[in-house]
Amino acid sequence: MKKFCCVLLAMLPVSAFAYPIDVEKHLSGVSVDYTSHDTDYDLGSITLNNYGDTAAECTIVFINGPEAPRTRRVSIPAKSSVDSSAKFTRSIIKLRIKLTCVAK
């Protein structure tokens, strides 16, 4: 019985579900990097880091299948980072993010 419980506990991390995230980026003369996160089953987020010396204006479009895309607009000061997220009504199977940034 103890062996069965140990095996069951060892398999818990395997059962965690993470959905794939595809990011399409269009950067126009800015040094912006991103990190995408699968925060929850219906919540996706992205962290934007501006490594440049000028501020950047970014538009982020979160797309989850048949639902309406969620658009977020953020301004990132030089040498700083910004988090952005989008909540959907359905579970996310595959999240697509379109990131467009221009210098301010």
Side-chain angles (χ1 to χ4, degrees):
M1 185 66 179
K2 287 184 180 181
K3 289 182 182 179
F4 178 73
C5 289
C6 288
V7 170
L8 184 63
L9 288 174
M11 289 179 57
L12 282 177
V14 175
S15 65
F17 179 77
Y19 50 84
I21 301 173
D22 293 337
V23 179
E24 178 184 330
K25 60 181 180 177
H26 302 282
L27 307 176
S28 300
V30 292
S31 299
V32 173
D33 192 22
Y34 66 89
T35 305
S36 56
H37 310 283
D38 52 344
T39 309
D40 202 3
Y41 72 96
D42 62 347
L43 181 70
S45 63
I46 189 167
T47 302
L48 302 175
N49 299 308
N50 185 357
Y51 296 114
D53 294 327
T54 61
E57 289 285 332
C58 294
T59 302
I60 309 157
V61 181
F62 294 90
I63 304 168
N64 176 31
E67 289 190 49
R70 310 294 199 265
T71 303
R72 306 289 186 261
R73 289 178 180 80
V74 295
S75 178
I76 311 168
K79 308 286 185 193
S80 65
S81 66
V82 172
D83 294 320
S84 182
S85 63
K87 184 165 178 67
F88 294 94
T89 56
R90 299 179 182 176
S91 296
I92 297 173
I93 297 172
K94 181 178 181 180
L95 181 63
R96 291 181 304 279
I97 300 174
K98 292 183 182 178
L99 173 65
T100 306
C101 295
V102 295
K104 194 172 185 181

